[in-house]
Structure formats: structure tokens, C-alpha cells
Amino acid sequence: MADIPFDKRDGYIWFNGELMPWSDAKVHVLTHGMHYASSVFEGCRAYGGEIFKLHEHSQRLVDSARILGFEIPYTVDEIDEACRAELAAQKLEDAYIRPVAWRGSEMMGVSAQKNRINLAVAAWEWPSYFDPEQRQKGIRLDIAEYRRPSPETAPSDAKAAGLYMICTISKHAAEDKGYADALMYDYRGYVAEATGANVFFIKDGVIHTPIPDCFLDGITRRTVIDLAKARGIEVIERHILPEEMKDFSECFITGTAAEVTPVGEIGPYKFTPGEISANLYKDYMALVYAHQEKAKVANG
């Protein structure tokens, strides 16, 4: 399945209020979202048939669209239902769900006030974002050439398609060198995030993580911070200079796709996946499957 191009797959896609055959879900080449990046998206995961923190993802999609200056013509609850309908139509239990909203093709140019706002939801199997063998020993990250821009120059609070251009460039460059991903600095030179995941460091039993003031405060990021605090682990959110990475013992990244993934190397800096990273991964997986355990108890 992984080798099949996405436009050649079978099943259904929820598209502007209806489920349609996967191959029929198409947009015109002069779609504004493709030319001018007037598009926002989300990434959710389903575990055992339940989409984890779905409502938070749907709310962020709506908020992202508003930051880009358009209103999605569906409520947050309706987007939730669209995601569930798509998951059921695909007959998947464990899956990745991608809601996306964009300006259509009614007007072509920077100005596009009259363009239709479209919404689609797709779902597919996506077992692991990183190679399982690399993940077990800690993935390797390059240091990206491009930096996360200032919130005065780009809408950093939105999960907007245009903001991921430099992520794709950076991830491709890293993979060409044999790395799994890249770490990005921000416009001031502080440590920011990986191309699609937030980053955490550990020193003397304390977790340190960058302040998300020019990149997304990830839903998984917030979840893992809560899990760490529930274990009594101190979490410090602060600006982190690149040279500080030499003093940290552990490192891991978090994201819907990445979940909780240990890091063994960032450029010249080395880390050893340890107990805190392992425990938070276990806690996170227990949380995303908690509904199954509740169902088992309820059913005796």
C-alpha cells in the first residue's frame, strides 16, 4: 500500500459534505490554494477506531483558516463528524486522518475574496513516521539551513500549508545526507523544532523544551508535557541556544505522526535514549489506547 501513489488508491474521501470515490476527489490546476498557499490542514491519528483529540484538531483547523482570512463553511462539530465518517468509510481502525481546507478556483490572483472555501478529509494507514529500527536507537537529525520565521513575517500560529515549504526543503536535504529529519532554529537563532514535530531535551531529570512563540504549540507537545508533569517530572519551557544541546543527555520529538520518538543525534550533538523518553512513549501509547481499556472494563 505504501508504494501506491495517493491519487491511485481505493476507497472514499469526504469532499465538501459527501463521501466520493477516492479517485474522483480532484481540484482544478488553477486552484488558488495551490498557487498562493491559501490552504490549512490538520493531521490526526486514530487508534483502535478512535481519533485522538479530534476536537482539538478540528478547532485548530478552523482557527488556522481564520488566521489566513477565510471561514470554513462547517462547524468544529461537523468537521469532527466528517473525520469519523471518513474513517468509517475507509474501514480503518489505526490510521492517519488528513482534513484540509483551501480556496478554490473562482478567482486567480493574490486577491481571492470570492473563491469557494473547500473542505476535504482523507484517511489512510500510516504505521510509523520513522523507520522502526532507527526509532528504537534514536533517530538522527541534521540541522536545517532555513529557520522558522518571525511571527511578524508569517502567521506562525496557523497550521498553514505555505509554512511547510521550508520543512520539505529541509527534510529532503537531511534525507539526502542519510538523516531521518532536520532540526530547525528560529529567526533569532534559538532551537525551534523539527520539520514536523516539537523537540524536548533532558538534563538531570528535568525536561527542557523551546517556547512555541514562532511555531506551533503542538497538540501532542501539550499532551506529553501533561504526561511528564503527572509523573512528577519538571518541565521548563524556555529559549534554548544551539550550543546548550551538548549538555543534554536525552532528546525526543513529539507530533501526531511522530508520536514520541527518541533522538540519538542532532548534527554534532549526541544523546542516549533513556528512561524518561521510554516512559513518556509508554504513557502516550497507553493514553491513545485508553478507550479500548475502558471498553474492556465496561464489557467485563
Side-chain angles (χ1 to χ4, degrees), residues 236-284:
I236 299 174
E237 299 180 66
R238 64 180 181 87
H239 293 133
I240 298 172
L241 290 166
E243 56 266 30
E244 291 185 72
M245 287 192 282
K246 70 180 186 301
D247 299 322
F248 295 117
S249 57
E250 290 183 58
C251 176
F252 62 89
I253 59 173
T254 65
T256 295
E259 298 169 317
V260 179
T261 297
V263 174
E265 178 182 327
I266 300 177
Y269 307 106
K270 309 293 183 182
F271 311 95
T272 302
E275 184 177 356
I276 291 178
S277 299
N279 284 338
L280 289 176
Y281 172 75
K282 291 175 185 175
D283 290 350
Y284 183 76

Side-chain angles (χ1 to χ4, degrees), residues 80-126:
D80 287 350
E81 287 308 308
C83 292
R84 294 188 184 102
E86 168 64 12
L87 185 66
Q90 290 298 92
K91 300 178 181 178
L92 296 172
E93 291 286 315
D94 297 306
Y96 185 83
I97 299 93
R98 168 57 56 86
V100 57
W102 70 97
R103 286 191 174 101
S105 53
E106 290 75 15
M107 295 175 68
M108 179 48 58
V110 174
S111 180
Q113 296 96 327
K114 296 181 182 179
N115 287 36
R116 176 178 181 173
I117 305 305
N118 301 275
L119 176 68
V121 183
W124 62 90
E125 291 181 340
W126 195 357

Side-chain angles (χ1 to χ4, degrees), residues 7 10 25 51-52 67 82 89 110 122 129 145 153 158-159 164 193 208 230 239 246 298:
D7 61 338
D10 294 325
I51 304 173
F52 185 63
I67 292 171
V110 174
Y129 189 57
E145 174 185 357
T153 62
K159 195 170 176 67
Y164 284 79
E193 60 176 350
H208 302 254
H239 293 133
K246 70 180 186 301

Side-chain angles (χ1 to χ4, degrees), residues 10 12 19-20 35 59-60 65-66 88 103 143 160 180 186 223 234-235 244 246 254 265 282-283 290-291 293:
D10 294 325
Y12 297 90
L19 288 163
M20 63 170 58
H35 291 257
Q59 182 65 61
R60 188 170 66 181
R66 286 175 180 158
R103 286 191 174 101
I143 295 175
D186 71 15
T223 301
E234 183 181 2
V235 179
E244 291 185 72
K246 70 180 186 301
T254 65
E265 178 182 327
K282 291 175 185 175
D283 290 350
H291 64 279
E293 294 304 316

